[in-house]
Amino acid sequence: VEKSNVVLALQDTTELTYKHSVCKELGNVSTANHHKPSKKRTILVHSTLMIDAEKESYKWERNISQLGKRLDSMQNVIDVCGREADMYEHLSCQINHNNRFIVRSKENRCLLNSDKKLLEKISLVEPCGYKKTNITQRGGKFPRKARTAELAISYTAVTLKAPQTIKDKDGLKVTVIQCQEINSQNEDEKLCWKLRYDGTN
């Protein structure tokens, strides 16, 4: 704690609900109506989590640095990241280290020397190929049936414009890739993956 400039102490109350045989051992701790017998017990827990309030992009930059220290070479490594890593600082760090990387796109970023934003730009590009992939069945809150999806694959080179909070007039040159499902009649379940990939290596 002493080594950090700012530490966040996050506190909140949560409920731990037990519905199996251990309920009888917990006694009368349920938040339910005590006048009626209950088959479950709920305990209120108030906890505090302390975290370092560092900039979000730092953890990604730390990982890049640690990978470089552990490996003799990063030339055969492709760093694959989810939407959380779609930050200008992280993309810039990867490019500055001459790394190969794939980041799932999250932000519809402005582009240099273009009146279109990223998502509109890639949506206008003609597919360069097609690929079929098997989608497994899924239950739960968002169920889906198993199916074979046919994907149209498009890509184009773009230069991402820096946010106003970052001084970078040259922007970031990356290749954006889109995989769009074309054979599904259900618009809600259509697959559409958008990636940013630095293809200089």
Side-chain angles (χ1 to χ4, degrees), residues 16 28 64 124 149 161 171 176 197:
L16 302 180
N28 190 16
I64 295 172
L124 297 175
K161 187 177 181 180
V176 58
Y197 170 57

Side-chain angles (χ1 to χ4, degrees), residues 1-2 20 100 129 133 143 166 176:
V1 174
E2 292 79 6
H20 44 76
R100 304 168 68 189
T133 184
I166 298 177
V176 58

Side-chain angles (χ1 to χ4, degrees), residues 57-111:
S57 61
Y58 288 168
K59 66 181 181 182
W60 301 96
E61 294 174 19
R62 266 204 318 268
N63 285 349
I64 295 172
S65 176
Q66 290 173 358
L67 277 175
K69 291 177 181 178
R70 294 192 176 202
L71 302 175
D72 293 332
S73 173
M74 292 281 287
Q75 292 301 310
N76 65 335
V77 177
I78 299 177
D79 194 12
V80 182
C81 306
R83 291 161 58 90
E84 186 185 359
D86 186 11
M87 293 175 287
Y88 193 91
E89 297 95 326
H90 174 243
L91 301 177
S92 178
C93 181
Q94 291 277 28
I95 293 174
N96 290 337
H97 283 80
N98 201 32
N99 291 338
R100 304 168 68 189
F101 66 94
I102 296 175
V103 175
R104 187 174 179 185
S105 183
K106 178 183 178 183
E107 305 294 340
N108 187 18
R109 298 188 182 277
C110 295
L111 304 177

Side-chain angles (χ1 to χ4, degrees), residues 147 181-191:
R147 69 183 189 277
E181 185 175 3
I182 59 176
N183 63 323
S184 175
Q185 302 300 319
N186 188 342
E187 292 294 330
D188 293 333
E189 71 175 12
K190 269 189 176 182
L191 297 178

